[in-house]
Amino acid sequence: MPDADYLGAARPSLILYLPHRPNGLERLQQYPDAAELIAANSNHWRKIVNLLAKVACPMTQEWRHYRDTSLFQENALSFAPALANGECWHWIGGKDNLLRFTGLQHRARLLDRAPEVSVDAERRLLLTPYPDYRQLSNAVVAQLRLSLEGQGFYGRARS
């Protein structure tokens, strides 16, 4: 059974921090199948999982295939209001969610072509609106991926 505050890879490339847990967490495996997570929940979670896949997917892969084969073996979801230890990127989704991270020090800067997204490359921190298609359109995701690519995210060895 997964930890109540964590779901996914033990050594992730990217952790998406969210303020709420999916339904049926106790039935999901540590490395859930994306389809299983979506089926146990709502369309809301389909959007979250798809956006995580679109951002985390290596440049050489198609995001749907990545979502269905590797997403939670290489990335994670965390529901705790504290950054996990490790050499990974941390994505905090939503302004209200960011407020839960008391004492978080960062120097995140807005992206030029996606001013709703901030990146602190030194802390490996992404600050975005809540992961929903209205706030994180394909154009915004493309800008976020360009920023991550510039930081070497897609070239790092996967666990």
Side-chain angles (χ1 to χ4, degrees), residues 92-106:
I92 300 175
K95 288 180 185 176
D96 289 340
N97 189 25
L98 178 60
L99 295 175
R100 298 183 325 134
F101 290 76
T102 57
L104 176 65
Q105 301 292 318
H106 66 83

Side-chain angles (χ1 to χ4, degrees), residues 138-156:
N138 285 337
V140 172
V141 168
Q143 292 303 311
L144 180 52
R145 285 179 59 83
L146 281 174
S147 178
L148 286 172
E149 182 180 29
Q151 299 302 320
F153 174 78
Y154 300 105
R156 88 183 271 253

Side-chain angles (χ1 to χ4, degrees), residues 7-84:
L7 190 62
R11 293 179 45 206
S13 296
L14 175 64
I15 301 173
L16 172 56
Y17 296 84
L18 296 171
H20 59 277
R21 294 161 182 79
N23 293 326
L25 185 62
E26 66 282 352
R27 292 186 308 272
L28 296 172
Q29 299 299 315
Q30 179 68 35
Y31 307 108
D33 177 82
E36 176 186 17
L37 177 62
I38 293 166
N41 289 275
S42 63
N43 188 47
H44 170 76
W45 277 94
R46 181 183 60 81
K47 293 174 185 179
I48 292 169
V49 169
N50 284 352
L51 284 165
L52 177 57
K54 286 180 177 185
V55 171
C57 180
M59 294 294 190
T60 58
Q61 293 186 36
E62 195 271 333
W63 72 266
R64 287 175 194 87
H65 176 74
Y66 181 75
R67 174 197 63 202
D68 296 342
T69 60
S70 305
L71 183 63
F72 290 109
Q73 285 74 34
E74 297 181 0
N75 304 286
L77 297 172
S78 179
F79 313 105
L83 299 183

